[in-house]
Amino acid sequence: SGYDLLGATSRRRHYMSSAMKVMIADDHWIVRESLKQVIRRLNGVHTTLEAGTFDDVVELLLTHPDVDLVLADLIMPGFNDFDGLERLRREFPQVPIAIVSVHEDRTHVMRAVSNGVIGYIPKSASGQEIELAFERLLAGEVYFPRRLIERSGGEPIQYPSMAPDPSGDSLENLTKREREVIELLGKGFSVQRIATQLTLNSHTVRVHLGNMMRKMGLPNRSAMIHFAISHANAARIEGA
């Protein structure tokens, strides 16, 4: 069922105690070099692998099954928009993938979320923002810029077929605290930031997230994020 929000603690411990292996997949060498420079500034020694085509990505994942994170552009030879992403998620479902893209519209972000990515980083982001995103991703968190997911995008984006669309009855079964958590998650808050905002610890936030996933019948972390973002955007439009 992919990576869930409750597994972040063990990955954070791994991040704090040992080097991690990151693949940078982009057909422009200058982009790969820029991202490598950011990674080198992070705490710890991180191994980077480079891929310029979709075939390179597949070959590297087959020879390096211990890759901790793939940073991928949506457009490169053999990796056309979401076709390549969907194939990677099918063939390597346990490999965390984050998108680094020139596309900054909500439709691209939400479709990427529906395909199970753990982050979406616009190429226009500052070096500081990219560094923050990498720190969160390598610590087992998710990263989606609030300015992107809060933009309205016309018609509501439909849930992926793998995930049920929770009904209003499901939301009514949530506690007040759980609704607060899902509202902040939908605004792009990380688990740690939600904990700070609500004066909780990170473990308690993950317990709330796990309870909500069970109550709403959501199969995995991706479905949870997709629903939270869609729900937050719908609520914002209704209140406008």
Side-chain angles (χ1 to χ4, degrees), residues 21-44:
K21 187 177 292 186
V22 181
M23 183 192 304
I24 302 172
D26 194 292
D27 59 335
H28 295 95
W29 70 267
I30 193 168
V31 173
R32 298 197 302 270
E33 188 61 33
S34 297
L35 296 180
K36 279 197 301 182
Q37 291 296 330
V38 176
I39 291 173
R40 291 189 185 116
R41 293 201 296 267
L42 302 178
N43 293 330

mmCIF file of all heavy atoms in Angstrom, residues 21-44:
data_model
loop_
_atom_site.group_PDB
_atom_site.id
_atom_site.type_symbol
_atom_site.label_atom_id
_atom_site.label_comp_id
_atom_site.label_asym_id
_atom_site.label_seq_id
_atom_site.Cartn_x
_atom_site.Cartn_y
_atom_site.Cartn_z
ATOM 1 N N LYS A 21 20.806 7.333 0.206
ATOM 2 C CA LYS A 21 21.082 7.279 -1.230
ATOM 3 C C LYS A 21 19.934 7.947 -1.983
ATOM 4 O O LYS A 21 18.777 7.530 -1.874
ATOM 5 C CB LYS A 21 21.246 5.823 -1.673
ATOM 6 C CG LYS A 21 21.702 5.659 -3.116
ATOM 7 C CD LYS A 21 21.912 4.186 -3.454
ATOM 8 C CE LYS A 21 23.090 3.611 -2.706
ATOM 9 N NZ LYS A 21 23.380 2.220 -3.157
ATOM 10 N N VAL A 22 20.269 8.984 -2.735
ATOM 11 C CA VAL A 22 19.265 9.773 -3.442
ATOM 12 C C VAL A 22 19.535 9.724 -4.942
ATOM 13 O O VAL A 22 20.676 9.933 -5.384
ATOM 14 C CB VAL A 22 19.287 11.252 -2.972
ATOM 15 C CG1 VAL A 22 18.223 12.055 -3.713
ATOM 16 C CG2 VAL A 22 19.084 11.343 -1.465
ATOM 17 N N MET A 23 18.506 9.446 -5.734
ATOM 18 C CA MET A 23 18.632 9.492 -7.186
ATOM 19 C C MET A 23 18.040 10.786 -7.712
ATOM 20 O O MET A 23 16.929 11.160 -7.350
ATOM 21 C CB MET A 23 17.925 8.308 -7.846
ATOM 22 C CG MET A 23 18.106 8.290 -9.378
ATOM 23 S SD MET A 23 17.022 7.113 -10.230
ATOM 24 C CE MET A 23 17.461 5.594 -9.404
ATOM 25 N N ILE A 24 18.776 11.465 -8.577
ATOM 26 C CA ILE A 24 18.297 12.684 -9.219
ATOM 27 C C ILE A 24 18.053 12.360 -10.683
ATOM 28 O O ILE A 24 18.983 12.035 -11.430
ATOM 29 C CB ILE A 24 19.323 13.827 -9.089
ATOM 30 C CG1 ILE A 24 19.618 14.100 -7.613
ATOM 31 C CG2 ILE A 24 18.807 15.083 -9.789
ATOM 32 C CD1 ILE A 24 20.762 15.087 -7.401
ATOM 33 N N ALA A 25 16.798 12.434 -11.105
ATOM 34 C CA ALA A 25 16.420 12.071 -12.467
ATOM 35 C C ALA A 25 15.939 13.300 -13.222
ATOM 36 O O ALA A 25 14.833 13.802 -12.996
ATOM 37 C CB ALA A 25 15.331 11.002 -12.442
ATOM 38 N N ASP A 26 16.793 13.804 -14.099
ATOM 39 C CA ASP A 26 16.470 14.984 -14.910
ATOM 40 C C ASP A 26 17.392 14.970 -16.113
ATOM 41 O O ASP A 26 18.568 14.619 -15.999
ATOM 42 C CB ASP A 26 16.684 16.265 -14.083
ATOM 43 C CG ASP A 26 16.045 17.485 -14.735
ATOM 44 O OD1 ASP A 26 16.520 17.915 -15.815
ATOM 45 O OD2 ASP A 26 15.067 18.008 -14.171
ATOM 46 N N ASP A 27 16.862 15.331 -17.279
ATOM 47 C CA ASP A 27 17.693 15.258 -18.479
ATOM 48 C C ASP A 27 18.595 16.478 -18.666
ATOM 49 O O ASP A 27 19.351 16.545 -19.632
ATOM 50 C CB ASP A 27 16.829 15.039 -19.731
ATOM 51 C CG ASP A 27 15.805 16.137 -19.947
ATOM 52 O OD1 ASP A 27 15.424 16.789 -18.957
ATOM 53 O OD2 ASP A 27 15.383 16.335 -21.101
ATOM 54 N N HIS A 28 18.532 17.451 -17.764
ATOM 55 C CA HIS A 28 19.414 18.618 -17.838
ATOM 56 C C HIS A 28 20.498 18.499 -16.772
ATOM 57 O O HIS A 28 20.195 18.501 -15.571
ATOM 58 C CB HIS A 28 18.623 19.910 -17.646
ATOM 59 C CG HIS A 28 17.631 20.168 -18.744
ATOM 60 N ND1 HIS A 28 16.300 19.805 -18.648
ATOM 61 C CD2 HIS A 28 17.775 20.732 -19.962
ATOM 62 C CE1 HIS A 28 15.673 20.159 -19.759
ATOM 63 N NE2 HIS A 28 16.549 20.711 -20.577
ATOM 64 N N TRP A 29 21.747 18.427 -17.202
ATOM 65 C CA TRP A 29 22.835 18.202 -16.258
ATOM 66 C C TRP A 29 22.958 19.342 -15.255
ATOM 67 O O TRP A 29 23.317 19.120 -14.097
ATOM 68 C CB TRP A 29 24.167 18.032 -16.996
ATOM 69 C CG TRP A 29 24.692 19.304 -17.632
ATOM 70 C CD1 TRP A 29 24.488 19.729 -18.898
ATOM 71 C CD2 TRP A 29 25.509 20.289 -16.988
ATOM 72 N NE1 TRP A 29 25.108 20.936 -19.106
ATOM 73 C CE2 TRP A 29 25.759 21.309 -17.954
ATOM 74 C CE3 TRP A 29 26.059 20.429 -15.713
ATOM 75 C CZ2 TRP A 29 26.522 22.426 -17.663
ATOM 76 C CZ3 TRP A 29 26.822 21.558 -15.432
ATOM 77 C CH2 TRP A 29 27.049 22.537 -16.391
ATOM 78 N N ILE A 30 22.628 20.558 -15.680
ATOM 79 C CA ILE A 30 22.774 21.694 -14.771
ATOM 80 C C ILE A 30 21.763 21.606 -13.623
ATOM 81 O O ILE A 30 22.044 22.013 -12.487
ATOM 82 C CB ILE A 30 22.639 23.040 -15.534
ATOM 83 C CG1 ILE A 30 23.115 24.186 -14.638
ATOM 84 C CG2 ILE A 30 21.194 23.264 -15.992
ATOM 85 C CD1 ILE A 30 23.300 25.489 -15.402
ATOM 86 N N VAL A 31 20.576 21.049 -13.898
ATOM 87 C CA VAL A 31 19.588 20.844 -12.841
ATOM 88 C C VAL A 31 20.085 19.778 -11.870
ATOM 89 O O VAL A 31 20.012 19.940 -10.641
ATOM 90 C CB VAL A 31 18.227 20.434 -13.430
ATOM 91 C CG1 VAL A 31 17.254 20.052 -12.311
ATOM 92 C CG2 VAL A 31 17.653 21.561 -14.265
ATOM 93 N N ARG A 32 20.613 18.675 -12.419
ATOM 94 C CA ARG A 32 21.131 17.615 -11.558
ATOM 95 C C ARG A 32 22.260 18.144 -10.679
ATOM 96 O O ARG A 32 22.326 17.850 -9.482
ATOM 97 C CB ARG A 32 21.635 16.434 -12.402
ATOM 98 C CG ARG A 32 20.548 15.753 -13.240
ATOM 99 C CD ARG A 32 20.990 14.377 -13.710
ATOM 100 N NE ARG A 32 22.225 14.405 -14.490
ATOM 101 C CZ ARG A 32 22.274 14.552 -15.806
ATOM 102 N NH1 ARG A 32 21.136 14.709 -16.503
ATOM 103 N NH2 ARG A 32 23.417 14.543 -16.440
ATOM 104 N N GLU A 33 23.147 18.951 -11.251
ATOM 105 C CA GLU A 33 24.267 19.489 -10.483
ATOM 106 C C GLU A 33 23.782 20.442 -9.395
ATOM 107 O O GLU A 33 24.295 20.426 -8.266
ATOM 108 C CB GLU A 33 25.236 20.215 -11.426
ATOM 109 C CG GLU A 33 26.524 20.656 -10.772
ATOM 110 C CD GLU A 33 27.345 19.501 -10.220
ATOM 111 O OE1 GLU A 33 27.317 18.399 -10.825
ATOM 112 O OE2 GLU A 33 28.008 19.689 -9.183
ATOM 113 N N SER A 34 22.784 21.257 -9.716
ATOM 114 C CA SER A 34 22.248 22.197 -8.728
ATOM 115 C C SER A 34 21.623 21.453 -7.546
ATOM 116 O O SER A 34 21.820 21.827 -6.385
ATOM 117 C CB SER A 34 21.200 23.105 -9.375
ATOM 118 O OG SER A 34 21.784 23.904 -10.386
ATOM 119 N N LEU A 35 20.859 20.397 -7.840
ATOM 120 C CA LEU A 35 20.233 19.624 -6.774
ATOM 121 C C LEU A 35 21.275 18.882 -5.939
ATOM 122 O O LEU A 35 21.131 18.751 -4.719
ATOM 123 C CB LEU A 35 19.221 18.640 -7.364
ATOM 124 C CG LEU A 35 18.014 19.272 -8.072
ATOM 125 C CD1 LEU A 35 17.089 18.190 -8.622
ATOM 126 C CD2 LEU A 35 17.253 20.198 -7.138
ATOM 127 N N LYS A 36 22.338 18.412 -6.593
ATOM 128 C CA LYS A 36 23.418 17.761 -5.847
ATOM 129 C C LYS A 36 24.072 18.734 -4.870
ATOM 130 O O LYS A 36 24.423 18.364 -3.748
ATOM 131 C CB LYS A 36 24.473 17.205 -6.806
ATOM 132 C CG LYS A 36 24.128 15.872 -7.419
ATOM 133 C CD LYS A 36 25.348 15.179 -8.013
ATOM 134 C CE LYS A 36 26.006 16.020 -9.092
ATOM 135 N NZ LYS A 36 27.159 15.316 -9.694
ATOM 136 N N GLN A 37 24.245 19.974 -5.297
ATOM 137 C CA GLN A 37 24.854 20.974 -4.423
ATOM 138 C C GLN A 37 24.008 21.191 -3.172
ATOM 139 O O GLN A 37 24.531 21.349 -2.071
ATOM 140 C CB GLN A 37 25.025 22.296 -5.184
ATOM 141 C CG GLN A 37 26.051 22.270 -6.293
ATOM 142 C CD GLN A 37 27.464 22.025 -5.772
ATOM 143 O OE1 GLN A 37 27.800 22.403 -4.645
ATOM 144 N NE2 GLN A 37 28.287 21.365 -6.568
ATOM 145 N N VAL A 38 22.682 21.205 -3.352
ATOM 146 C CA VAL A 38 21.791 21.368 -2.198
ATOM 147 C C VAL A 38 21.918 20.181 -1.259
ATOM 148 O O VAL A 38 22.010 20.326 -0.037
ATOM 149 C CB VAL A 38 20.326 21.532 -2.652
ATOM 150 C CG1 VAL A 38 19.402 21.591 -1.444
ATOM 151 C CG2 VAL A 38 20.171 22.794 -3.496
ATOM 152 N N ILE A 39 21.922 18.977 -1.821
ATOM 153 C CA ILE A 39 22.022 17.770 -1.011
ATOM 154 C C ILE A 39 23.323 17.751 -0.213
ATOM 155 O O ILE A 39 23.354 17.342 0.945
ATOM 156 C CB ILE A 39 21.906 16.515 -1.899
ATOM 157 C CG1 ILE A 39 20.480 16.391 -2.436
ATOM 158 C CG2 ILE A 39 22.291 15.246 -1.129
ATOM 159 C CD1 ILE A 39 20.300 15.297 -3.457
ATOM 160 N N ARG A 40 24.417 18.231 -0.821
ATOM 161 C CA ARG A 40 25.714 18.239 -0.132
ATOM 162 C C ARG A 40 25.705 19.160 1.081
ATOM 163 O O ARG A 40 26.519 18.990 1.992
ATOM 164 C CB ARG A 40 26.817 18.679 -1.099
ATOM 165 C CG ARG A 40 27.126 17.664 -2.195
ATOM 166 C CD ARG A 40 28.360 18.052 -2.969
ATOM 167 N NE ARG A 40 28.596 17.152 -4.087
ATOM 168 C CZ ARG A 40 28.562 17.511 -5.368
ATOM 169 N NH1 ARG A 40 28.321 18.779 -5.683
ATOM 170 N NH2 ARG A 40 28.784 16.631 -6.316
ATOM 171 N N ARG A 41 24.805 20.141 1.104
ATOM 172 C CA ARG A 41 24.753 21.067 2.230
ATOM 173 C C ARG A 41 24.007 20.476 3.428
ATOM 174 O O ARG A 41 24.053 21.036 4.516
ATOM 175 C CB ARG A 41 24.076 22.380 1.817
ATOM 176 C CG ARG A 41 24.869 23.196 0.808
ATOM 177 C CD ARG A 41 24.435 24.645 0.828
ATOM 178 N NE ARG A 41 23.052 24.829 0.422
ATOM 179 C CZ ARG A 41 22.664 25.081 -0.820
ATOM 180 N NH1 ARG A 41 23.566 25.160 -1.799
ATOM 181 N NH2 ARG A 41 21.394 25.255 -1.118
ATOM 182 N N LEU A 42 23.319 19.377 3.232
ATOM 183 C CA LEU A 42 22.556 18.771 4.318
ATOM 184 C C LEU A 42 23.479 18.036 5.280
ATOM 185 O O LEU A 42 24.588 17.637 4.918
ATOM 186 C CB LEU A 42 21.515 17.797 3.753
ATOM 187 C CG LEU A 42 20.504 18.380 2.766
ATOM 188 C CD1 LEU A 42 19.580 17.283 2.265
ATOM 189 C CD2 LEU A 42 19.709 19.503 3.409
ATOM 190 N N ASN A 43 23.009 17.834 6.503
ATOM 191 C CA ASN A 43 23.784 17.100 7.494
ATOM 192 C C ASN A 43 23.974 15.660 7.052
ATOM 193 O O ASN A 43 23.069 15.036 6.502
ATOM 194 C CB ASN A 43 23.068 17.116 8.853
ATOM 195 C CG ASN A 43 23.009 18.507 9.450
ATOM 196 O OD1 ASN A 43 23.898 19.325 9.213
ATOM 197 N ND2 ASN A 43 21.981 18.784 10.231
ATOM 198 N N GLY A 44 25.167 15.130 7.288
ATOM 199 C CA GLY A 44 25.440 13.752 6.913
ATOM 200 C C GLY A 44 25.987 13.664 5.498
ATOM 201 O O GLY A 44 25.971 14.629 4.732
#
